[in-house]
Amino acid sequence: MHIVGWRKFLRKAVKSKEEAVMLEELKKQVYEANMELPRRGLVTYTWGNVSGIDREAGLFVIKPSGVDYELLTPDDMVVIDMEGNRVEGKYNPSSDTATHLELYKAFPELGGVVHTHSPWATSWAQAGRDIPCYGTTHADYMYGPIPCARNLTPEEINGEYEKNTGLVIIETFKNRNINPVYVPAVLCTNHGPFTWGKNAAEAVHNAVVLEEVAKMATLTELNNPKVQPAPDCIKEKHFMRKHGPNAYYGQPGK
Ligand SMILES: [Zn+2]
């Protein structure tokens, strides 16, 4: 082999080895994130799924469809490319894979996506309502109300249903000018929540927070049916001290 060709070959071999190691690491992370859902009481049976993406490789890893959590292993995770093709894994991917794919394509900041039917958040989704910001627990994580995306039309449901679910979420954030980094959660009418984060673990963390916030909002309205959303200054103070350019909450570098 010519020396230049040989160098190119070597570089490619090293890169693909690094990529393979990274992919194995991502499978472990996504597996762990999936296992956190039943641990936190967010899923029943096999409902729910988590994915995580390697942007450089252009691949994401997602839970297989309908496999019991007790039987899951990191090797069972399914690898998908950005055209939605399965490139690795013996199982079919989660039935919601096309929704995850659309979210990754539209929102480049996303590193992980979660879908559950956790009951408090799902009850708001089924009611077709945004979750108003009633206090600091909400404001610590979400900058403003958690939006509820519109119903899918019969054509959208009978067509590419899971892809259209993703497109309706994206439409909601665009139309309402919501930054998905500032509001890492959405409710889908008649369905349930999706959350996301910079990786799969953070997306699960946000799913847990969303469930707590949904529960608190329900009980808040029960305690006072005339309650008003918290003032904007609460939203500004609590979100920005944690996530804004001059954040000071927590420990430096964490
Ligand atoms: Zn679902």
Side-chain angles (χ1 to χ4, degrees):
M1 195 185 286
H2 188 270
I3 189 75
V4 176
W6 180 241
R7 273 208 202 113
K8 226 183 197 172
F9 169 78
L10 264 182
R11 249 203 321 268
K12 204 171 166 216
V14 170
K15 188 156 190 270
S16 47
K17 196 176 166 213
E18 275 171 10
E19 272 177 4
V21 171
M22 278 175 69
L23 205 53
E24 289 310 303
E25 186 50 39
L26 184 61
K27 280 190 208 169
K28 272 189 218 147
Q29 286 173 17
V30 171
Y31 163 77
E32 279 302 329
N34 272 287
M35 296 308 286
E36 189 70 359
L37 294 183
R39 263 186 236 133
R40 296 280 176 182
L42 292 193
V43 299
T44 304
Y45 296 125
T46 61
W47 309 348
N49 42 72
V50 184
S51 69
I53 191 166
D54 180 338
R55 291 276 176 190
E56 225 171 277
L59 298 169
F60 67 98
V61 171
I62 192 163
K63 178 174 156 280
S65 180
V67 179
D68 280 349
Y69 282 93
E70 302 97 81
L71 304 175
L72 272 187
T73 70
D75 278 344
D76 296 335
M77 299 299 115
V78 186
V79 183
I80 306 288
D81 69 17
M82 296 312 279
E83 276 81 53
N85 305 304
R86 175 174 61 176
V87 296
E88 211 185 299
K90 58 181 181 287
Y91 290 116
N92 288 330
S94 160
S95 50
D96 298 306
T97 299
T99 313
H100 291 238
L101 174 62
E102 291 308 316
L103 295 176
Y104 283 131
K105 285 201 290 192
F107 303 144
E109 305 89 350
L110 271 53
V113 173
V114 175
H115 174 53
T116 77
H117 289 190
S118 63
W120 292 98
T122 299
S123 65
W124 283 80
Q126 292 187 164
R129 284 189 63 195
D130 291 4
I131 303 178
C133 176
Y134 285 132
T136 65
T137 323
H138 181 131
D140 276 337
Y141 289 87
M142 320 274 178
Y143 189 69
I146 297 157
C148 188
R150 68 167 171 83
N151 265 324
L152 271 67
T153 64
E155 291 72 30
E156 286 167 336
I157 292 169
N158 293 324
E160 292 184 273
Y161 174 55
E162 292 81 8
K163 179 181 175 173
N164 291 334
T165 299
L167 294 179
V168 168
I169 294 171
I170 295 155
E171 171 195 298
T172 305
F173 277 68
K174 294 242 156 85
N175 286 353
R176 293 169 63 170
N177 200 21
I178 303 170
N179 179 344
V181 176
Y182 280 16
V183 182
V186 69
L187 307 170
C188 294
T189 298
N190 300 144
H191 187 177
F194 282 81
T195 60
W196 46 79
K198 62 176 186 284
N199 52 41
E202 193 183 86
V204 171
H205 186 95
N206 288 334
V208 175
V209 170
L210 170 66
E211 184 65 354
E212 288 300 309
V213 164
K215 183 181 182 179
M216 289 178 192
T218 308
L219 298 175
T220 301
E221 291 191 355
L222 198 63
N223 283 320
N224 178 2
K226 290 185 184 149
V227 66
Q228 293 300 305
D232 269 0
C233 57
I234 291 274
K235 175 182 93 172
E236 292 294 331
K237 181 73 182 170
H238 274 262
F239 189 84
M240 289 306 169
R241 71 176 190 162
K242 254 185 124 163
H243 309 280
N246 300 314
Y248 60 86
Y249 178 93
Q251 302 304 318
K254 291 207 173 167

